[in-house]
């Protein structure tokens, strides 16, 4: 099956008519395209740079005041920061602040700042109904947005927020924290810390003072009623003439505490021996014994009882409810008590004679007293035994036996006294024999020690022998001989010690001086002199130091102290024309007080003839003596 299809052949381009130009639109088409693209690019750039600068400006107040907790903004329901770019076009803007009614606006947002101006929000409102038990005198409500006062406790159209509700009951207040919420009535029920107190007494008369650490004090008379008291602990002091009671009370909230104070009394019957004493209480005289002390509040009383010539007594009297206490006091004679106390103290210190004197005084103050009458003969017997034992210890046996005889006359047949008498008689016999033997032994030992020149030991033995036979002539003769020999021995030993000491000092001084001279071994000429003075070595040293300060040629160059009584020294150089150099070597020693020796040696290094130099050196040596002598008060030869 075939078909006839005509195939069009392409036409060859026809040449433009001669003399015809291209169209204007076609010629500027590239320009217009470039222009459009340029404008689009510029618009995009402008949008990019200016859209991020699109901001929202608004000033918000709540009831004409700046909101304390700030405000917030929403755009199309989303939270919007004033520092962030806004979406462009038609938007719904909401303004919100705490405790206030929000507002919204529709705006078209374009480039730049969209200023909403001042927007005043209305604060949210609510109400408060307060019920306080008991009913206060006045209600006060205070918060950051104001304060309100009424007597009903009903507060309408309040700004929402937290408040303090103050309920006033006269001078008392109750504080409660409350919160008012938006578009609703908040209800508060408060049981105030307030209670009541009713006071009465039995019998009805009386006064009181009511005290609490947290409130003021109240003073009044029974009966009394307080309808508004702060809850807590109270102290009640109830009083009647000569009577006082103290009670602890508690007031509870919204309750009435009823207290009846009962005053109860007791009495005391007071008697003394002897009678007629004066009774004192609280510094006031109450009466004379025997006496009935009535209408006393229960408790313990400290009363004083006085009677001339007797010790004052202080007695505790315990008075019970509706009862009579019996008090009987025996008063003590003052002179009797003092005498017995003196006797006791002296007996404790074994002063029996003095104790007996006090017992005699006690019997005079209170004749026939059984205690003193019994103690007196015993005391005298103890005193006699004590004296007898003391005498026997000293060897005075006869005097001791005489004292015991006197004691037995005062207290015949007293066993302890008779036993002591027998013991002392036996000791007397034994002691006499021992004393004689001991005396002979001491005399023999004293003579033996004297033969060995132990005079101190011998004299000590003679002192012991004197205690045995004080008036023995043999002791006197031997003691005189021993003391004479002892004096001679002491003098000889002192003389020998003095000689030994001088010799030792002389050897020590010479040794020290020889050691000092060893450093001068190259000396060619060495004249020397020995001088004496009554001054001490210390005084000579001081004089040499003064001499050195006045004359440099005598300045101490070297000082070797061995002790306060001895030293060696080297004096400064002398430089006369005919010599090369000289030094003084000094040795000073105090042998005993008033005897000091000064050894002076001139060490010379000569340059001329020995004769000439010797003469010059002797002159220098003499110059040293004449210069130092005035500084020692010319006591230097």
């Amino acid at each position: 099956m075939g078909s006839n299809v005509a195939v069009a052949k392409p036409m060859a381009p026809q040449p433009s008519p001669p003399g015809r130009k291209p169209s204007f639109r076609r010629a500027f088409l590239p320009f217009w395209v470039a222009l459009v693209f340029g404008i689009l690019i510029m618009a995009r750039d402008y949008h990019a740079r200016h859209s991020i600068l699109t901001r929202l400006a608004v000033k918000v107040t709540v009831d004409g005041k700046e909101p304390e907790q700030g405000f917030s903004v929403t755009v199309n329901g989303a939270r919007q920061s004033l520092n962030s770019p806004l979406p462009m076009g038609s938007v719904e803007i909401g303004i919100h602040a705490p405790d206030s009614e929000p507002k919204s606006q529709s705006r078209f947002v374009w480039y730049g700042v969209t200023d909403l101006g001042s927007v005043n929000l209305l604060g949210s409102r609510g109400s408060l109904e307060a019920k306080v038990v008991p009913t206060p005198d006045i209600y006060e409500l205070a918060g950051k947005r104001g304060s309100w006062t009424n007597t009903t406790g009903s507060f309408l159209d309040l700004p929402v927020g937290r408040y303090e509700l103050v309920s006033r009951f006269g001078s008392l207040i109750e504080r409660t924290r409350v919160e008012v919420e938006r578009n609703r009535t908040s209800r508060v029920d408060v049981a105030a810390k307030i209670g009541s107190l009713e006071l009465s007494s039995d019998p009805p008369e009386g006064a009181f003072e009511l005290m609490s650490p947290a409130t003021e004090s109240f003073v009044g008379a029974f009966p009394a009623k307080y309808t508004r008291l702060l809850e807590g602990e109270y102290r009640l002091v109830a009083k009647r003439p000569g009577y006082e009671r103290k009670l602890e009370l508690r007031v509870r909230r919204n309750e009435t505490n009823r207290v009846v104070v009962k005053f109860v009394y007791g009495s005391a019957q007071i008697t003394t021996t002897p009678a007629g004493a004066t009774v004192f209480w609280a510094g006031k005289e109450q009466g004379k014994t025997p006496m009935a002390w009535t209408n006393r509040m229960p408790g313990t009383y400290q009363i004083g009882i006085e009677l001339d010539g007797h010790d004052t007594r202080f007695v505790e009297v315990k008075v019970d409810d509706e009862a009579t206490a019996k008090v009987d006091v025996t008063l003590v004679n003052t002179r009797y008590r003092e005498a017995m106390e003196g006797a006791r103290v002296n007996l404790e210190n074994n002063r029996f004679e003095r104790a007996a004197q006090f017992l005699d005084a006690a019997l005079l103050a209170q004749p026939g007293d059984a205690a003193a009458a019994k103690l007196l003969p015993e005391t005298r017997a103890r005193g006699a035994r004590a004296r007898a034992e003391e005498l026997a210890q000293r060897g005075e046996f006869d005097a001791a036996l005489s004292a015991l005889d006197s004691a037995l006359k005062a207290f015949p047949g007293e066993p302890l006294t008779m036993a002591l008498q027998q013991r002392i008689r036996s000791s007397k016999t034994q002691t006499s024999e021992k004393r004689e033997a001991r005396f002979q032994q001491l005399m023999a030992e004293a003579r033996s020690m004297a033969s060995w020149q132990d005079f101190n030991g011998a004299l000590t033995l003679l002192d012991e022998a004197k205690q045995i036979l004080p008036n023995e002539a043999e002791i006197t003769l031997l003691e005189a001989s021993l003391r004479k020999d002892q004096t001679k021995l002491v003098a000889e030993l002192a003389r020998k010690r003095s000689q030994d000491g001088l010799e030792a000092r002389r050897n020590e001084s010479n040794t020290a001086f020889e050691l000092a001279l060893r450093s001068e071994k190259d000396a060619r000429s060495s004249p020397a002199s020995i001088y004496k003075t009554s001054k001490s070595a210390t005084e000579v040293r001081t004089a040499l130091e003064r001499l050195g300060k006045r004359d440099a040629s005598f300045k101490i160059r070297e000082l070797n102290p061995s002790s306060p009584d001895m030293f060696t020294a080297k004096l400064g150089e002398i430089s006369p024309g005919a010599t090369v150099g000289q030094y003084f070597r000094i040795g000073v020693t105090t042998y005993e007080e008033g005897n000091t020796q000064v050894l002076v040696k001139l060490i010379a290094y000569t340059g001329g003839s020995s004769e000439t130099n010797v003469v010059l050196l002797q002159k220098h040596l003499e110059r040293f003596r004449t210069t130092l002598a005035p500084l020692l008060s010319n006591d230097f030869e």
Side-chain angles (χ1 to χ4, degrees), residues 45-78:
D45 181 63
Y46 180 88
H47 177 76
R49 286 187 293 106
H50 288 81
S51 63
I52 62 174
L53 300 177
T54 303
R55 296 289 188 271
L56 179 65
V58 63
K59 181 178 181 182
V60 178
T61 58
V62 177
D63 291 336
K65 299 180 180 179
E66 291 186 5
E68 294 182 359
Q69 301 181 33
F71 64 93
S72 62
V73 178
T74 60
V75 176
N76 295 332

Side-chain angles (χ1 to χ4, degrees), residues 99 267 298 372 430 557 563 621 625:
D99 299 333
S267 61
Q430 296 175 2
R557 305 284 183 182
S563 69
L621 201 58
R625 184 192 69 78

